[in-house]
Amino acid sequence: MRRQMHRGMVAALLSAFVWPGAGQLYNREIRKGALLIGLTIAVAVAVMIATAAEVTRQLPGDIGDLDADLVRTLPAQVLAARPGTLLVSSLLLLLIWAYGVVDAYFGGRGRRKLTREPRTPPVPPPAP
């Protein structure tokens, strides 16, 4: 006998290990899934833009002045210049991820309950 995995568990695993919002797409909650995917991408792009701007600021004006020590210390300098960016973005991504997993689980459970066949009430015995 083969056991089928609970729909909410599959959705939660998709959101946890594939991408935040994947479980919502599995549960056919398209708008919510697209919103979570969009938020995740927006936070990642914002971090990349902020990091690129800081790297550009730290680099010398003439590329000929670039030396190995600067390249080696550049990541530490970028993190020291904007310590809050990494913390805030990490917390936002963690919140989006956690919400996606929990919401996908409960969304799958609710969808499972909605798709079950309704119980039919007992038929009363005929009157004598």
Side-chain angles (χ1 to χ4, degrees), residues 3-59:
R3 288 188 65 191
Q4 205 171 17
M5 189 179 286
H6 186 276
R7 185 172 182 83
M9 186 60 69
V10 172
L13 290 173
L14 284 171
S15 277
F17 295 115
V18 174
W19 194 270
Q24 282 74 12
L25 295 177
Y26 177 76
N27 286 338
R28 296 185 182 114
E29 297 175 307
I30 305 300
R31 285 186 181 156
K32 196 182 294 185
L35 179 68
L36 288 172
I37 290 170
L39 282 172
T40 304
I41 291 171
V43 171
V45 167
V47 168
M48 286 189 260
I49 290 171
T51 303
E54 189 59 36
V55 166
T56 304
R57 199 178 68 72
Q58 297 280 346
L59 288 175

Side-chain angles (χ1 to χ4, degrees), residues 16-104:
F17 295 115
V18 174
W19 194 270
Q24 282 74 12
L25 295 177
Y26 177 76
N27 286 338
R28 296 185 182 114
E29 297 175 307
I30 305 300
R31 285 186 181 156
K32 196 182 294 185
L35 179 68
L36 288 172
I37 290 170
L39 282 172
T40 304
I41 291 171
V43 171
V45 167
V47 168
M48 286 189 260
I49 290 171
T51 303
E54 189 59 36
V55 166
T56 304
R57 199 178 68 72
Q58 297 280 346
L59 288 175
D62 182 19
I63 198 71
D65 295 337
L66 192 63
D67 63 344
D69 285 335
L70 178 62
V71 172
R72 193 174 326 114
T73 60
L74 191 59
Q77 291 174 2
V78 169
L79 286 176
R82 294 188 179 245
T85 303
L86 185 61
L87 176 65
V88 169
S89 62
S90 297
L91 287 175
L92 277 172
L93 288 173
L94 181 65
L95 286 172
I96 293 168
W97 175 81
Y99 175 79
V101 171
V102 172
D103 181 70

